[in-house]
Each structure stands twice: as structure tokens, then as C-alpha cells.
Amino acid sequence: MLWFSRASAPVKLDIADTLLKLREATPLRPLRGSHRGVYVLLKDPQLLFGLQDFLRRTGCVAEQRRSDELQVYVPDAPNQEQERREVSVYLASWQAANPGAEASIVDEESAQA
């Protein structure tokens, strides 16, 4: 805990809570480089929020684009190829933990169709 002093009274700052709020407020854009993220299409839209939560816990920025699609960024990926490889590994891990779940990376043109 840190204390912040104003003219009237000290105010207690909770750094952990502040950092959590900042992490949750990560904008939907690449944090490094100029890549546009990876589009992930799910066969079963009911699994979207579970996958989104899983990807966020791995440190990815994952936002819903449609009922069956996420746009995923890997903030520390130096380029699009590395980002795609990392998301591919995360998807394989998630599918292994969720038998029968199907998710795949699609190109931007397919994602916008």
C-alpha cells in the first residue's frame, strides 16, 4: 500500500488493484509492432467466452468480433508470424483441455466475410 497525501487528508492507494484495472483496460490494438492480430473462428459459439477467458489468462488481448469469432493479440509478439504461432499453441492447449471443441485461425479476408 502506498499513501498519497493531499492538503486535506492522506489517501490510501492500492497498487495491485490499480494494476489489475490497467491490465483489464488493455486497448484492442497491437501493443508492439504493426500487426493486426489473429482471427480465431469457433465451431461452437457457446464456447467463445471460455476461450476468450483462457486466452486472456495467457496474457493475450482477446476481443469478440462476432458470435463465433475472436480477434487476438499477443502483446509481446515481435511480428505477425510469431503472434500466429503463439495463438496456435494456445488453441491446441485449450482444445486438449476441452475435448470436442474446435477453433481455428483464419485469415483476415475470411474473418470479414
Side-chain angles (χ1 to χ4, degrees):
M1 289 295 157
L2 290 176
W3 289 87
F4 175 141
S5 182
R6 289 192 198 165
S8 59
V11 177
K12 186 168 78 172
L13 296 178
D14 185 347
I15 298 300
D17 184 53
T18 302
L19 291 175
L20 179 63
K21 287 178 184 173
L22 287 173
R23 180 173 173 87
E24 290 173 351
T26 303
L28 181 60
R29 62 176 175 75
L31 301 180
R32 182 189 296 173
S34 61
H35 39 96
R36 296 182 181 174
V38 174
Y39 300 95
V40 176
L41 188 64
L42 286 105
K43 185 173 182 180
D44 182 355
Q46 293 180 340
L47 300 175
L48 184 128
F49 294 114
L51 176 57
Q52 183 179 35
D53 181 57
F54 173 82
L55 291 169
R56 286 179 173 174
R57 284 184 280 127
T58 67
C60 294
V61 177
E63 296 299 327
Q64 182 177 358
R65 287 179 37 95
R66 297 189 312 217
S67 65
D68 62 348
E69 184 179 277
L70 294 171
Q71 186 170 7
V72 182
Y73 297 105
V74 179
D76 295 329
N79 56 50
Q80 183 77 31
E81 294 79 24
Q82 179 64 26
E83 184 170 57
R84 188 178 182 97
R85 281 191 295 269
E86 288 188 38
V87 172
S88 181
V89 169
Y90 297 143
L91 289 180
S93 176
W94 179 77
Q95 289 175 110
N98 295 276
E102 292 183 38
S104 57
I105 296 173
V106 295
D107 59 24
E108 187 172 2
E109 292 79 30
S110 298
Q112 293 178 358

